[in-house]
Amino acid sequence: MEPLTLHFVHERVGARFIPVGGREVVAGYGDVGAEYGAARDGVALHDASYREILRITGEDRASFLHGMVTQEVKNLPVGSAAYAAFITVKGAMVGDARILKREDDLLLDLEPGLGAKVREFLDKYLISEDAELHDGTPDGGWLKLLGPRTAQVLAAVLGTPVELPAPLSSRKASIAGQDVWLLGTALPGGLSGVDVLVPRAGLEAVWAALVGADGVTPVGFDALELVRVEAGVPRYGQDMVDTTIPLEANLTNAISYNKGCYIGQEVIARATFRGHMNRKLAGLLLGEQDVAPGTELRRGEKKVGWVTSVVTSPVKGQRVALGYVHRDSLEPGTELTLGDGAGTVTVAALPFTAS
């Protein structure tokens, strides 16, 4: 397990650690309810430096990546970001990424454990283009601020009033003597924040500056998973795997239909023209049942899906899940039986926070 750069900083305040994608992650600091509440009502600070970064340079970097992902890259303005998927010629996912376009390079923000896989996929198609792939993880890491008081905290740290960058827009700033990038974020349901890209050597100084601001609460992965699932956002490695087609996971925000050719485009175009997928990611209400990811869902004698992520939702006051459900059973309110026959669940609209 690759340790966090700030392991000892978190250990000193009682952090509990878990592995995700082969990298060390702070699971929490002892009170997941308080951490969740900070993200919803105040401002939460999360060390996301376990995420991997792939950096692409060279004159042809934008045109090369443009042909490799489902999203627009060539015409993406400098300083903006886009969410995209990497898919095979058969339309199945290799991974997903947030792509930040800067003056001299492209940065791919990846789930932990995806760096080598995505790099191998890109390398396979990199033949004569002037583009080079670099492991950017040793050079920088992300710190995440999330919650309605994010702008006030940034203003206090920067010493000047600040307007948060719009989602997927960025700006440069200086925190604790470190040159950083601020990238706006948003989740379905109205929760917003900013991700701070920090030189890895400056992570401790910037963390100290942010965590020392009034009202900031450090939060772990478990609290963020609550927020993510309530927002209905799938995570690669948990809700998406290498057999998932992006449209099954509701990733319409990762797809451009005007950009021209890319690997796997024909599959996406056919599925879009057909107007439906055989299954799609949906919300599930579980009541108090403790259901494990991977549990089958049935309707009568027919298998109609399976569960992927499960949390106890403060918004819904019960256990909720994400899972894949056959198109004939997607109507909210539909009752499905758990594969072991031990109980039933109810299909719900996403995001859970909408109601």
Side-chain angles (χ1 to χ4, degrees), residues 97-342:
R98 191 172 49 175
I99 301 165
L100 175 60
K101 191 174 191 178
R102 306 194 298 185
E103 287 283 358
D104 300 318
D105 59 18
L106 295 165
L107 288 188
L108 275 57
D109 168 36
L110 302 163
E111 289 286 339
L114 269 188
K117 182 182 181 185
V118 169
R119 184 168 184 167
E120 181 181 0
F121 174 73
L122 294 176
D123 257 330
K124 184 170 65 174
Y125 293 97
L126 183 55
I127 301 171
S128 59
E129 294 87 354
D130 179 10
E132 294 184 19
L133 308 176
H134 315 267
D135 181 7
T137 311
D139 301 324
W142 294 98
L143 301 178
K144 176 183 286 291
L145 287 166
L146 187 65
R149 293 194 62 252
T150 298
Q152 292 96 307
V153 166
L154 270 183
V157 171
L158 296 174
T160 182
V162 63
E163 187 172 326
L164 288 185
L168 297 178
S169 296
S170 74
R171 52 167 285 205
K172 296 179 183 179
S174 178
I175 299 177
Q178 302 294 318
D179 293 329
V180 303
W181 285 82
L182 307 177
L183 181 60
T185 64
L187 288 169
L191 198 58
S192 62
V194 66
D195 287 356
V196 186
L197 179 61
V198 184
R200 194 158 290 272
L203 276 171
E204 186 170 359
V206 175
W207 175 270
L210 293 173
V211 81
D214 184 45
V216 172
T217 300
V219 305
F221 190 79
D222 291 347
L224 288 189
E225 283 291 273
L226 286 179
V227 172
R228 177 186 71 81
V229 173
E230 287 184 337
V233 176
R235 178 167 64 84
Y236 193 89
Q238 183 70 36
D239 311 285
M240 301 179 288
V241 294
D242 57 10
T243 55
T244 306
I245 295 172
L247 291 171
E248 294 176 332
N250 303 325
L251 298 191
T252 53
N253 60 323
I255 299 170
S256 168
Y257 292 98
N258 304 310
K259 60 168 285 184
C261 295
Y262 59 88
I263 304 297
Q265 181 198 22
E266 291 183 4
V267 176
I268 300 297
R270 281 200 306 271
T272 302
F273 177 76
R274 193 170 64 231
H276 66 261
M277 299 298 299
N278 284 335
R279 57 178 176 251
K280 294 195 77 172
L281 193 72
L284 300 164
L285 302 177
L286 310 180
E288 299 305 313
Q289 298 173 103
D290 190 10
V291 180
T295 299
E296 283 189 5
L297 301 171
R298 308 187 72 85
R299 193 174 184 184
E301 297 301 313
K302 183 180 179 182
K303 178 184 174 181
V304 295
W306 65 93
V307 175
T308 57
S309 287
V310 182
V311 300
T312 300
S313 165
V315 165
K316 288 297 187 184
Q318 62 177 293
R319 302 277 283 173
V320 303
L322 301 179
Y324 287 94
V325 176
H326 190 274
R327 67 176 189 269
D328 292 340
S329 300
L330 279 171
E331 182 68 25
T334 302
E335 278 204 354
L336 304 176
T337 304
L338 294 172
D340 58 7

